[in-house]
């Protein structure tokens, strides 16, 4: 299947839809997931168009993975989570719902189970505060 530029992350990358931004550079956008599986659920999205890992240019990962690590460390510090889950889904049967490559950084809290994938919408003020707190940790 080919890349469809009308997907929601492509619209966000073009500035057509707002987001709670944590970080942006020439290669990637980091933003809060609006249907978080846990407090602080963050998405790292390369700007280069690909549906997912399977059709991405391998070059994308060399720039992206150090950022994924930095965001994981910052999200853990900002949320005081006990761990971080890294998730990435490829095609619908694997759980993918938005067809533009992205990595999920999901803070894990001792004794807490995760909310459903792409489930309930988070409070906008809480997302804004989390984006700010994670950005502050990234800039340390
Ligand atoms: P996937 O299932 O494709 O791996 O993950 C897509 C993610 O995007 C889901 O976790 C879902 O909650 C999130 N999501 C869907 N629509 C939006 C949106 O409009 N804005 C943001 N920030 N996240 C979204």
């Amino acid at each position: 299947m080919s890349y469809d530029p009308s997907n929601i992350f492509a619209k966000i990358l073009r500035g057509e839809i707002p987001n709670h931004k944590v970080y942006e550079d020439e290669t990637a956008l980091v933003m809060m997931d609006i249907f978080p599986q846990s407090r602080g659920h963050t998405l790292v999205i390369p700007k280069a168009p690909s549906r997912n890992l399977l059709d991405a240019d391998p070059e994308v990962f060399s720039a992206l993975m150090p950022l994924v690590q930095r965001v994981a460390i910052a999200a853990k510090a900002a949320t005081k989570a006990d761990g971080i889950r890294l998730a990435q889904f490829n095609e619908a049967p694997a759980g993918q719902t938005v067809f533009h490559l992205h990595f999920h950084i999901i803070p894990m809290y001792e004794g807490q189970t995760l909310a459903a994938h792409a489930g309930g919408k988070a409070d906008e003020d809480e997302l804004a505060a989390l984006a700010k707190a994670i950005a502050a940790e990234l800039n340390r």
Side-chain angles (χ1 to χ4, degrees):
M1 259 184 273
S2 59
Y3 180 78
D4 176 0
S6 68
N7 74 77
I8 194 115
F9 290 173
K11 289 180 180 167
I12 289 173
L13 288 170
R14 290 195 295 267
E16 295 165 15
I17 293 176
N19 71 93
H20 291 285
K21 191 197 293 187
V22 173
Y23 171 85
E24 183 171 16
D25 63 20
E26 61 286 352
T27 60
L29 171 70
V30 181
M31 67 176 184
M32 305 312 298
D33 194 306
I34 52 167
F35 306 108
Q37 286 193 267
S38 74
R39 186 173 62 84
H41 184 164
T42 306
L43 299 169
V44 181
I45 308 172
K47 291 186 173 175
S50 75
R51 280 175 70 80
N52 53 44
L53 175 118
L54 304 172
D55 62 332
D57 182 340
E59 294 280 309
V60 164
F61 301 107
S62 47
L64 201 69
M65 292 316 286
L67 178 61
V68 167
Q69 183 194 31
R70 282 177 60 210
V71 175
I73 293 166
K76 185 172 183 293
T79 59
K80 305 206 182 342
D82 302 302
I84 292 289
R85 180 172 293 180
L86 178 62
Q88 195 279 314
F89 305 108
N90 301 287
E91 301 302 333
Q96 187 175 10
T97 58
V98 177
F99 296 92
H100 180 111
L101 176 62
H102 55 279
F103 286 81
H104 296 260
I105 289 169
I106 306 174
M108 304 296 292
Y109 303 93
E110 199 71 58
Q112 279 184 28
T113 52
L114 288 183
H117 180 55
K121 194 163 184 288
D123 178 77
E124 296 282 346
D125 290 345
E126 196 191 0
L127 289 181
L130 281 162
K132 208 170 152 190
I134 298 170
E137 289 294 335
L138 260 185
N139 290 326
R140 261 179 202 276

